[in-house]
Amino acid sequence: MTRNDSQGTQGTALLSDPLRNKGTAFSATERAEFGLDGLLPSAVETLDDQADRAYAAFVGYDKPLNRHIYLRQLQDTNEVLFHRLVTRHLEEMLPVVYTPTVGEACRRFSEIYRRPRGLFLSYEDRHRFRDILRNRPHNDVDVIVVTDGQRILGLGDQGVGGMGIPIGKLSLYTAIGGIHPARTLPILLDAGTDNEELLDNPHYLGRRERRVTGAEYDELVEALVAAVEAEMPRTLLQWEDFATAQARRILTRYQDRLLTFNDDIQGTAAVALGALTTAVRVTRTRLADQRIVILGAGSAAVGVADMIRSALVDDGMPQADAASQFWLVDVDGLLTGSREGLTDEQRVYARDDEQESYSLAEVVDRVEPTVLIGLSTAHGAFTEEIVRRMAASCERPVIFPLSNPTSHAEADPADLVRWTDGKVLVATGSPFPPVTVDGREVPVAQANNVYVFPAIGLAVTASRATRVTDRMMVAAARAVGDCAARFAPKDSEAPAPLLPPLREMRDAAREIAMAAATAAVQDGVAPKATQEELRAAVEAAQWSPEYAQ
């Protein structure tokens, strides 16, 4: 670290700066130069020494929430060490940094709150959002993740506690995508909360009012968008965990105005398409051959259908024919053309050839699907009877119980393996232990959005894209499948990983980013560039957790 790197910061102030603090890795020369003598133990460690010691401390905590708190405190103390630790142990730490443990951290946010991170934008301050954005810790920001805390995972309204989601997401933008931690900004849009438990909690840290709705809510969102446009017009803004009623509407309103996307709608969809791309390869069929039943008809479920439909159209299938490949089922049964109250997005998939809203079991009987996807949060909805019916008419059923957390999953992968005699191709939304197939232990692919959103951040940063297009997301999804193909067995009967191993994700992120950046150039939303120029830009944009010398 040079004096320029420290920007004149000395002594305890330097040790309190998580982006510049090296802790025990400061050399003897640096300690003398920066007024650190006596402030640190005498031992001088390498970054890897520190990471080993931090890992020992991590495993010393027996509860996932305590491990989560430890990692958050480490991030607040030393960003480089935190990201080195997470990248070295990504498979082990992903469920702690993010789902499912982050759900408990959000639920207990006010209880475990230690140190501020990001910006909290309250409804009462909506006319000052631009001024408040100027208080951001670092001027140059590549990625914002924002939530209003209304639909946190499967836990519902967590109010200000939802801030745990943007913080966790941006940690993964850095650990996997390589976005510099100083160039990320988590934002909590505090519209209030309708969670009675939070409103009655004297220690709740958020706005202690009912949620604003209607025109007032729209004014709040518009105030954020206008402030970002004015202060950070080239920054990627990711919408996260907004209620179904708001998520699609916000995306539709702003996707052509901002560099923006909704991870619950588009990220989830892209990962599902990536896993399906691999499954189609394994079964030696075509995407166009699939009959796809989706349990759930909310924004995430419709987003998955939209993404797969976009891929079918990209392959040359007419729009109407592509839509006819889907059967969407919600709590009231099959979506049909005669059903009232459907949104425009749902109506695309309403079946005009059916007059009855059949149950999931009846739809499986009538359609004989090759693909069954769950985004319903209905635990156990994929019953043994339904799965066995599907397997009876499909040689290798593709089943994705994508609802999370684990307690909301439509099925347990071990049951799916047993009910299909090991023929199932499965990906889940939450982490599950490996399953045994033909005497072999096989990891369960977790269709976590982490396969896509960090790469999208890297892609738009490297390519200087001004919008996120559907083609970019489809290209990213197919690249996920391409990366997974390296690990797929040649024998179609053998157990097949549908997604790349998490330990490979930092390298895979570059390939996925390349695909999305190429699509951005092709769509005209990024400056013209050759493949060589794009690859160089992607590699240059991917920050690595190393101390400055």
Side-chain angles (χ1 to χ4, degrees), residues 267-282:
T268 299
V271 179
L273 174 58
L276 182 57
T277 299
T278 309
V280 167
R281 283 198 184 103
V282 172

Side-chain angles (χ1 to χ4, degrees), residues 368-380:
E368 297 186 346
T370 58
V371 179
L372 179 61
I373 299 174
L375 283 158
S376 65
T377 70
H379 177 68

